[in-house]
Amino acid sequence: MMKFDYGTPAELFMAKRKGGARQPLGYRRFSSAAEAIRFAIEESPAVRTLGAWMQVGDERFDCDDIQRLYESDDYQLRRRASSSN
C-alpha cells in the first residue's frame, strides 16, 4: 500500500441529495488533503448522507476512505476531542 500524502492539495465534493432534483454539488478546495479531511469529518457531520468524496490528484476517496484517513496514525493535524457519536 502506498503512503498517503496529507500535504497534497485536495478538492471536497458533497452531492446534495435532499430537496430539489437539480441541487448543485457542494464543492470546496483545500491547500492540503489533511485540511479537507478535517473539514469533512469535524465540520460536516452529515458527510455520509451527503455522499461526500475527495479528489487528491488523480485519486478519488469516498466517505469511508475519508474516515479511514482521518483515523490513521499518519494523520498530521490535531483531531477534535470526540464526544460520544
Side-chain angles (χ1 to χ4, degrees):
M1 182 178 179
M2 223 167 132
K3 189 163 179 119
F4 182 78
D5 183 359
Y6 287 92
T8 303
E11 298 169 293
L12 185 65
F13 299 85
M14 289 182 250
K16 298 176 182 177
R17 296 181 184 170
K18 291 193 172 197
R22 292 247 188 231
Q23 287 223 349
L25 190 67
Y27 169 83
R28 283 195 66 175
R29 181 182 295 247
F30 295 85
S31 60
S32 74
E35 292 171 357
I37 293 165
R38 178 169 54 190
F39 178 83
I41 300 299
E42 296 181 3
E43 303 298 326
S44 300
V47 72
R48 287 187 186 280
T49 57
L50 293 176
W53 54 278
M54 179 177 67
Q55 185 81 26
V56 180
D58 292 334
E59 293 186 75
R60 185 173 173 167
F61 300 87
D62 66 16
C63 56
D64 292 330
D65 295 327
I66 295 169
Q67 182 70 47
R68 179 183 49 78
L69 289 166
Y70 180 76
E71 293 171 356
S72 170
D73 290 338
D74 294 331
Y75 182 71
Q76 306 155 337
L77 301 179
R78 185 176 198 146
R79 292 174 187 87
R80 178 183 290 172
S82 67
S83 56
S84 44
N85 292 340

